[in-house]
Amino acid sequence: MQAKDSNPPDGGYGWVVVVSAFMVMGLTVAVLKTFGLFFVEIQQHFDELASTTSWITSVTIAVFHLGAPVASSLCVQYTHRTVVITGGLLAFSGMALGFFGLNMVWMYATTGFLQGLGISFSWTPAISIVSHYFSKKRALANAIASAGECAFAFVFGPFFQWLISQYGWKGALLIIGGIQLNICVCGVLMRPLASSCLLETSHYGTETPPGNGASGRDKEDKSPIMHKTLNWMLVKRPEFVLYAIFGILAAMSFFVPPLFLVPLSYSLGIDESWTASLLSILAMVDFGGRLLCGWYANLHVTKTIHLLAMTITLISTSLMLLPLANNYLSLAIFTGFYGFFFGTTVAIHITVLADVVGMPEFDSALGLFMLIRSTGGFVGPPLAGLIVDMAGDYRASFYVAGATLVLSAGFLIILDLLQQRKKRGSKIRTKPEKSTLPYPSLHTLKHQ
C-alpha cells in the first residue's frame, strides 16, 4: 500500500475521509448518547438498583477516554485505518456479547469495557486523520465530521426504541452491534497519508533513492512521527497544560445539562412527551451550530482560539439563563441556545488543539487531551448532583455548570496571551538576523 503525499490536500479524497469520519462519529458517540434507552430494560431484567445499572455507561465513558492515548499511540505506530477497523470489531464484539446478558458483571465487561474501547479506537483516529488531511479547511472538515454525532443521535432515539419494542433489549443490542460493523467499512476508506503512517515513512526513510544522500535521510528522520509512539513530554509545555485545564473545566460542565435537563423539566410540571422533544431540539440545533461555526472558522475572519473563547462565554450565559425558564416554551428556547453554542464549541475545539501543539504532535496531544479531560467528565456530574441535593433544586446544577465554563474561558485567554507574547519574542529575536547582510550591499559597492 502506497502512502499518499504528506502535504494536506485540503480537499479531493479528504472529503471521502470526512464522510467516513461523519459515519464513525454517528456509530460511536451517538450510540453512547442514546444508550440510556436500555437503562430501564436492563435494570428490570437483572432487578438491580439504578446506581448499579448506571455503571455500564460509566465504564463505557471511562474506557472511551482512557483508551484515547492508546489509540493515538497505535495510530502513530501503525495507521489510522488499522485502528479504526479494530475499533469497529471491538464495538461489535461488545454489543454482540452483551446479547447473552449473563449478569451485571458480564454487561460491564461487554457493553461497558469492550464497547468503550471500540468507541475510543474508532473515534480517536477518525477525528485525527481528518486534521491530517486538511489545513486551511480544517475547522470546516472537523465540524462536518463531528456533526455525524448529532445527525445519528436524532435518528437513533426513536429507532432504538422501536428495536427494543420489537426484539427486546438483547436483540436490539445484537442488531446495533451489526450496524456498528460499518465502522470497519469507514476505516477501510481512511487512506493514510505519509505523515500519518509510521511504517510507510520508515520504509521510505530506509530506502533513500541514490543521489539524495544524507539530506534525504535527514528529511525523513524529521518526520513528526518517527521514533516515537506517544509524546508524554507535552505535559511540560505551558500551552498544552493551559488547554488541558480548559478541557477539564469544560468537561465538568458539558456532561451536566443533558443529565439534569429532563429532571428540571419534570419539576416544572412539563408532560413527558414534551420533555422528550427537548432532546430532539438539542440534537438539531447542535447539528446546525457545528456546521455554521465550522463554515465561519473556515473563512479565517476570527482566530480560532478567540472564536472558542466567545462560544464558551455564550454557552455559560445560556446555562445561567436556562434556570429562569418556568414553562415549556421558555425552557425550549434556552435549551436551543445552549445546544447551538455547544455545537459551535465542539466544531472547533479540536482545531484549536491542533493550532496549539502543531500537527507533528497532534496525535499524541489528542490522546493525552482526552485522557486528562476525562477527569472533568468524572467529577462534573457527581459534583453537580451533590450541589442539587444540598440546594434541593435542579436549577443549581446549571448555575454551577455556567460558572465553571466562565472559569475555563479564562484559561483560554491566558493561553492566547502566552502565544502572543511568544510570537512577539520570536519576531524580536529574528529581526536583527534579517537586517544583517553577509556581503556589502549594492549601494555600498557603487560608492566604493
Side-chain angles (χ1 to χ4, degrees):
M1 180 177 62
Q2 183 179 359
K4 299 299 175 184
D5 188 5
S6 60
N7 295 323
D10 263 315
Y13 192 81
W15 293 117
V16 176
V17 175
V18 169
V19 173
S20 299
F22 178 94
M23 298 290 292
V24 171
M25 297 301 108
L27 294 172
T28 55
V29 183
V31 172
L32 178 59
K33 275 187 170 183
T34 52
F35 193 78
L37 293 170
F38 291 86
F39 185 88
V40 176
E41 300 290 334
I42 295 176
Q43 181 185 7
Q44 292 178 348
H45 178 82
F46 292 106
D47 192 23
E48 293 284 356
L49 297 173
S51 58
T52 304
T53 308
S54 65
W55 273 106
I56 298 176
T57 303
S58 298
V59 171
T60 307
I61 294 174
V63 176
F64 168 38
H65 284 87
L66 296 175
V70 180
S72 295
S73 177
L74 292 174
C75 286
V76 174
Q77 191 172 0
Y78 300 101
T79 65
H80 295 79
R81 169 187 282 172
T82 302
V83 181
V84 172
I85 293 174
T86 303
L89 294 175
L90 287 171
F92 162 73
S93 300
M95 289 296 195
L97 292 174
F99 164 80
F100 295 100
L102 302 181
N103 49 52
M104 288 303 297
V105 175
W106 178 265
M107 300 304 296
Y108 296 155
T110 55
T111 57
F113 181 82
L114 284 178
Q115 178 68 197
L117 197 62
I119 292 175
S120 185
F121 278 32
S122 304
W123 185 93
T124 307
I127 203 69
S128 172
I129 196 171
V130 170
S131 294
H132 280 283
Y133 262 90
F134 290 85
S135 178
K136 295 179 180 179
K137 300 178 181 178
R138 184 176 296 148
L140 178 62
N142 276 326
I144 295 173
S146 68
E149 172 188 333
C150 310
F152 277 73
F154 182 77
V155 176
F156 278 172
F159 177 58
F160 286 2
Q161 191 65 61
W162 179 81
L163 286 178
I164 294 172
S165 64
Q166 294 294 317
Y167 304 100
W169 68 270
K170 291 185 178 181
L173 285 181
L174 185 61
I175 294 172
I176 293 169
I179 295 173
Q180 285 185 307
L181 278 175
N182 287 286
I183 295 173
C184 300
V185 179
C186 298
V188 171
L189 296 174
M190 293 179 179
R191 190 166 61 193
L193 288 166
S195 60
S196 59
C197 179
L198 175 64
L199 295 181
E200 292 167 337
T201 306
S202 302
H203 173 76
Y204 292 131
T206 54
E207 297 184 9
T208 306
N212 284 1
S215 62
R217 287 190 300 270
D218 290 342
K219 183 177 180 182
E220 295 299 338
D221 288 342
K222 293 179 181 178
S223 171
I225 43 79
M226 285 294 290
H227 307 305
K228 63 183 180 182
T229 55
L230 195 62
N231 185 8
W232 294 92
M233 300 304 291
L234 282 168
V235 296
K236 292 187 176 182
R237 292 177 55 176
E239 297 90 341
F240 178 77
V241 172
L242 287 170
Y243 198 71
I245 295 174
F246 153 76
I248 293 173
L249 295 173
M252 286 179 64
S253 304
F254 288 161
F255 288 95
V256 171
L259 185 62
F260 293 102
L261 180 61
V262 173
L264 175 62
S265 175
Y266 289 156
S267 69
L268 294 175
I270 299 174
D271 185 75
E272 291 185 5
S273 59
W274 288 102
T275 298
S277 68
L278 292 175
L279 300 178
S280 298
I281 292 173
L282 266 178
M284 287 188 294
V285 295
D286 186 352
F287 182 84
R290 296 186 192 214
L291 295 183
L292 183 61
C293 188
W295 167 79
Y296 178 78
N298 189 59
L299 299 178
H300 302 288
V301 176
T302 306
K303 192 175 178 182
T304 50
I305 192 170
H306 295 168
L307 186 59
L308 180 60
M310 286 189 288
T311 59
I312 289 293
T313 304
L314 291 170
I315 291 178
S316 62
T317 303
S318 63
L319 286 177
M320 293 289 193
L321 293 174
L322 194 146
L324 300 179
N326 55 10
N327 54 46
Y328 173 79
L329 180 59
S330 57
L331 187 60
I333 291 174
F334 290 129
T335 298
F337 279 124
Y338 162 74
F340 179 82
F341 294 126
F342 175 80
T344 60
T345 299
V346 174
I348 58 173
H349 80 287
I350 296 297
T351 302
V352 174
L353 176 62
D355 294 339
V356 168
V357 301
M359 284 310 300
E361 302 289 355
F362 177 71
D363 286 321
S364 293
L366 180 60
L368 289 176
F369 179 74
M370 288 289 293
L371 175 63
I372 296 171
R373 190 181 70 169
S374 66
T375 58
F378 298 151
V379 173
L383 178 61
L386 177 62
I387 294 175
V388 167
D389 291 336
M390 294 173 60
D393 193 340
Y394 290 110
R395 293 180 176 88
S397 64
F398 294 92
Y399 289 128
V400 173
T404 306
L405 280 176
V406 171
L407 183 60
S408 71
F411 283 92
L412 288 178
I413 295 172
I414 296 173
L415 171 58
D416 182 51
L417 293 175
L418 177 62
Q419 288 181 318
Q420 290 183 17
R421 188 178 68 177
K422 285 192 173 184
K423 188 176 181 180
R424 287 195 298 267
S426 178
K427 287 182 178 180
I428 293 174
R429 287 192 299 270
T430 57
K431 189 174 182 180
E433 297 178 4
K434 292 181 180 179
S435 60
T436 304
L437 296 175
Y439 300 104
S441 64
L442 181 61
H443 177 76
T444 305
L445 291 175
K446 286 182 178 180
H447 288 80
Q448 286 180 349

